[in-house]
Amino acid sequence: MHIKRLEIKNFLGIKELLFSPGKFNKVSGDSGTGKTSVVEAMEKLFTNRNRRTEVIRHDQEEAELFVELNDGLQTTRKIRNEKADYLKVKHDSKAVSSTEAYLKKLVNGEIFRPIEFVHKQPKEQTEIILNMLTIDWTVEEIKSWFGEMPEADYQLHILQILKQIETGYYAERESINREINLLRANIEGIKRDLPPNYDGEEWRGVNLQELYKKLSDAEESNKRLQEAQSLIDDLSIRIDDIKQKAANAAESKRLDYQRQRETYANAIKRIEENIQQEQSKIDDVDRRILDSNVRMDAELEQAIERLKLQFQARKQTAREDIQQEAEQSRVFMAEYREQLAEKKSSLANIAEHERKDLEKITDHEANLIAAENAKSGNAQQIIDTAAWIDPAPLKEAADNAAKMKEYLREWERMTDIIKDKLAPKEARSSDLTTKIQKARELPKELLKTAALPVDGLSVDEQGRIRINETLIDGLSEGEALEFAFKLARAQAGELKVICVDGWQNLGSRQQEIIESAKHDDYQYFVLETVEGQDLNIDIVEG
């Protein structure tokens, strides 16, 4: 299928162009005359892709593209500024549905440009070629291969996906192996700090409390022996000491009660004095009132007549204050009499309290002496029945166990590191090794099912493209160009169109391409830059 007729209006650098392409079409002209616009117009027609942001010619509102194929298919596409784009595809003899998808299918997704391909980076070339390799795969297959969905860009080709998976697993294994080495170094460091052949299980069950209890019991038994002997040796001294302490306590009590007697006597004396003072105030009430009246009368005579009522009030107030004070004195006297009775009662009871306390001291003295005598009897029994125990071996055993148990926490930390950290990471590292090997083996298996578009093309284990065993970036200029044209022919869809940029740079290879084109069924559009020349289209061979 070829292009029979092409019309371009107001698209990029072309105002209006209409021509009927032949087998080999050379589009020539100076830079900016619209050569590339011709190819981009065909790309826009079939793929709806723009290589530039603005494709409508300046000062125009709409660009229109029309193509007619040699099988009768006609396509009109309008690109508009203010309206939605317009697309119409029709065929006189058959129905056309899903127009965009239908057009893209004609060019296998895009119009392949071999010279442009040659100038791309190896990575881009690899992606283009891999996208031409049809290898069926499913998410479920990925899960069955690796037991999970590894992190990867699943929009890429399956061979690139597998390479990403391998790289990801390899990086994870490297990271885990570094952690494993650090954990092993940590474990060795802990081992160096432990005693030789240290086994925590052996010391975990040792009852340190029991060992020290045996030592404590032995020391306590020895202590009782020493105390018993000391009791017997110092009995008379202790009894004399008890008697002296009892005499001191009795004297202290006598002095204490004497101080209490003096305190109560002084308190009684002060209270009696207070009562006398208050009684004198009461006895002197009439005289004080009379004195107050005389003084007030004198003041009243000296005051002017208008103050008589005021002085009468003051006299009444003075009288009430004095009477209130006398009443208060009566209250105080009642309280003082109660306190006096209480103090006299306490003073009368001191002798009885003193007698009882002295009796207690005497009884306590007798009890202590009896206890000391009893202790001496028990002490002799202890000396006769108990044996001296050497605590040194018990202490050595208990101290050694305590020392060994101090290492138990580090030993447990080491075993926890081995169990909870090292073992899972070693298991994961081993699992990753298996997954990495799987990711490396799968491309070989999958490539056996893929149809390669060009003879001599292969994909190695790392997803790199080789042409006759040579990496794609190792091809000579001629080999690269030859391969690009083979790939262009293989890539072309039903519309067998090949576009060639930079025709003027191909030199002697121009004739080789022309001769090769005579023997194939592809339609060629080649772009040639000619300085000073306007846009021109030559049909080299129809």
Side-chain angles (χ1 to χ4, degrees):
M1 190 183 299
H2 292 171
I3 296 175
K4 178 180 178 181
R5 184 173 172 222
L6 180 65
E7 294 182 22
I8 305 172
K9 293 181 181 178
N10 298 324
F11 185 83
L12 294 174
I14 299 176
K15 183 175 183 181
E16 186 171 0
L17 177 66
L18 167 63
F19 76 105
S20 298
K23 164 74 172 177
F24 200 95
N25 307 277
K26 184 166 71 172
V27 183
S28 58
D30 204 347
S31 297
T33 56
K35 302 185 302 299
T36 307
S37 301
V38 175
V39 176
E40 291 187 31
M42 288 190 290
E43 287 180 332
K44 181 66 176 177
L45 266 166
F46 290 102
T47 70
N48 196 26
R49 294 177 185 170
N50 298 333
R51 292 192 179 228
R52 298 181 235 189
T53 304
E54 294 182 351
V55 296
I56 300 175
R57 186 177 175 84
H58 295 306
D59 300 328
Q60 298 296 319
E61 295 298 324
E62 178 181 285
E64 182 175 348
L65 307 173
F66 172 82
V67 66
E68 181 181 359
L69 305 185
N70 58 359
D71 72 338
L73 182 75
Q74 296 181 352
T75 300
T76 301
R77 186 184 292 277
K78 295 180 181 180
I79 305 97
R80 301 164 170 173
N81 279 333
E82 301 297 332
K83 299 180 182 179
D85 290 352
Y86 170 85
L87 174 65
K88 181 179 181 181
V89 181
K90 67 175 183 175
H91 198 289
D92 294 337
S93 60
K94 59 182 178 181
V96 178
S97 61
S98 184
T99 52
E100 289 287 6
Y102 180 81
L103 291 176
K104 288 181 180 179
K105 184 179 179 182
L106 294 180
V107 294
N108 210 1
E110 64 179 357
I111 296 176
F112 194 90
R113 297 164 72 172
I115 303 301
E116 184 181 66
F117 175 82
V118 169
H119 292 151
K120 289 183 180 293
Q121 295 297 318
K123 181 179 179 181
E124 295 178 277
Q125 294 175 334
T126 299
E127 290 180 0
I128 291 171
I129 295 171
L130 288 177
N131 286 330
M132 297 171 65
L133 302 180
T134 303
I135 299 177
D136 294 329
W137 62 278
T138 65
V139 169
E140 293 305 319
E141 286 178 317
I142 295 285
K143 291 180 179 178
S144 66
W145 291 336
F146 299 103
E148 60 186 1
M149 279 300 291
E151 186 175 346
D153 183 0
Y154 287 94
Q155 302 300 316
L156 299 176
H157 192 272
I158 184 60
L159 298 182
Q160 293 174 304
I161 293 172
L162 290 174
K163 187 61 183 175
Q164 279 193 357
I165 291 173
E166 177 200 340
T167 302
Y169 280 144
Y170 189 86
E172 183 183 353
R173 187 180 66 177
E174 278 191 327
S175 175
I176 288 178
N177 286 343
R178 283 193 296 271
E179 293 178 12
I180 288 173
N181 290 334
L182 289 174
L183 288 172
R184 287 174 177 168
N186 191 10
I187 291 168
E188 288 303 317
I190 296 173
K191 281 184 177 179
R192 284 194 297 271
D193 293 336
L194 296 176
N197 303 318
Y198 182 84
D199 183 4
E201 293 297 338
E202 174 186 351
W203 296 103
R204 190 199 302 276
V206 173
N207 191 329
L208 196 60
Q209 185 176 1
E210 185 177 328
L211 291 176
Y212 276 108
K213 187 177 185 307
K214 289 181 180 179
L215 174 62
S216 177
D217 290 345
E219 291 175 339
E220 184 64 28
S221 176
N222 293 340
K223 180 181 178 182
R224 285 198 301 270
L225 279 173
Q226 290 177 334
E227 289 176 347
Q229 188 62 51
S230 176
L231 282 171
I232 291 174
D233 294 342
D234 301 334
L235 178 60
S236 60
I237 297 174
R238 291 198 305 279
I239 290 175
D240 291 342
D241 182 60
I242 290 169
K243 290 180 176 179
Q244 183 61 46
K245 287 180 179 177
N248 292 340
E251 181 62 25
S252 176
K253 280 294 180 183
R254 291 189 185 95
L255 293 174
D256 182 42
Y257 280 111
Q258 181 60 37
R259 284 193 293 271
Q260 289 186 43
R261 287 188 182 93
E262 292 174 356
T263 299
Y264 282 126
N266 291 333
I268 290 169
K269 183 179 179 181
R270 285 195 301 272
I271 292 171
E272 288 175 342
E273 289 175 352
N274 290 338
I275 291 173
Q276 290 176 358
Q277 289 175 3
E278 298 303 325
Q279 185 61 51
S280 66
K281 290 180 182 179
I282 293 171
D283 295 341
D284 202 30
V285 165
D286 293 336
R287 183 191 61 76
R288 291 169 61 198
I289 292 174
L290 181 60
D291 290 346
S292 176
N293 287 338
V294 171
R295 186 170 59 255
M296 292 297 174
D297 288 340
E299 291 179 3
L300 182 60
E301 290 175 358
Q302 295 174 5
I304 60 176
E305 188 62 22
R306 58 186 178 80
L307 295 177
K308 284 183 180 181
L309 293 175
Q310 178 181 349
F311 274 94
Q312 285 295 331
R314 288 178 61 188
K315 285 168 63 178
Q316 181 62 29
T317 300
R319 181 182 297 107
E320 290 174 356
D321 288 345
I322 293 170
Q323 289 175 343
Q324 184 177 3
E325 185 178 356
E327 186 63 29
Q328 188 174 10
S329 294
R330 291 186 184 92
V331 173
F332 286 161
M333 283 180 65
E335 290 178 355
Y336 289 147
R337 286 192 179 98
E338 289 179 3
Q339 292 176 13
L340 182 62
E342 181 183 349
K343 297 299 180 183
K344 287 181 178 180
S345 174
S346 298
L347 180 60
N349 293 330
I350 280 180
E352 181 62 20
H353 288 309
E354 180 179 18
R355 182 186 64 76
K356 290 180 178 180
D357 283 347
L358 291 175
E359 286 179 355
K360 288 180 181 178
I361 291 170
T362 302
D363 292 341
H364 183 62
E365 174 188 4
N367 291 334
L368 288 176
I369 291 172
E372 288 297 327
N373 287 323
K375 285 181 183 177
S376 298
N378 293 336
Q380 187 60 52
Q381 184 181 1
I382 291 170
I383 292 171
D384 294 340
T385 58
W388 179 265
I389 301 172
D390 186 2
L394 295 175
K395 187 175 188 308
E396 182 180 356
D399 289 348
N400 183 59
K403 181 180 179 181
M404 290 298 104
K405 275 187 169 290
E406 287 178 359
Y407 294 109
L408 189 57
R409 180 176 295 177
E410 282 299 288
W411 180 83
E412 289 176 340
R413 186 165 73 90
M414 179 183 72
T415 56
D416 288 344
I417 290 173
I418 294 172
K419 177 184 176 182
D420 299 335
K421 295 182 179 180
L422 181 61
K425 289 186 182 298
E426 287 178 335
R428 179 58 178 169
S429 178
S430 176
D431 182 48
L432 288 171
T433 298
T434 303
K435 293 179 186 293
I436 290 168
Q437 189 61 34
K438 183 68 175 177
R440 289 174 177 172
E441 293 172 352
L442 279 170
K444 294 180 183 178
E445 300 174 12
L446 294 175
L447 283 172
K448 293 176 183 178
T449 66
L452 300 179
V454 178
D455 292 339
L457 184 148
S458 63
V459 184
D460 64 18
E461 296 177 352
Q462 299 183 33
R464 298 178 301 182
I465 301 298
R466 292 181 180 272
I467 311 300
N468 296 323
E469 302 306 323
T470 301
L471 284 174
I472 194 169
D473 58 352
L475 296 175
S476 66
E477 185 179 342
E479 290 171 333
L481 189 61
E482 181 182 357
F483 172 70
F485 272 93
K486 287 183 179 180
L487 204 59
R489 296 185 183 98
Q491 169 67 6
E494 296 179 43
L495 180 66
K496 296 188 174 183
V497 169
I498 296 176
C499 298
V500 181
D501 311 79
W503 180 254
Q504 72 281 354
N505 298 322
L506 297 180
S508 61
R509 298 193 181 279
Q510 291 181 353
Q511 194 57 39
E512 294 177 13
I513 295 172
I514 293 173
E515 289 299 320
S516 175
K518 292 179 180 179
H519 306 289
D520 63 31
D521 57 350
Y522 294 87
Q523 187 178 32
Y524 291 81
F525 291 83
V526 301
L527 308 182
E528 180 182 37
T529 300
V530 180
E531 292 186 9
Q533 179 180 305
D534 293 333
L535 179 66
N536 183 60
I537 299 176
D538 290 328
I539 301 174
V540 179
E541 188 171 344

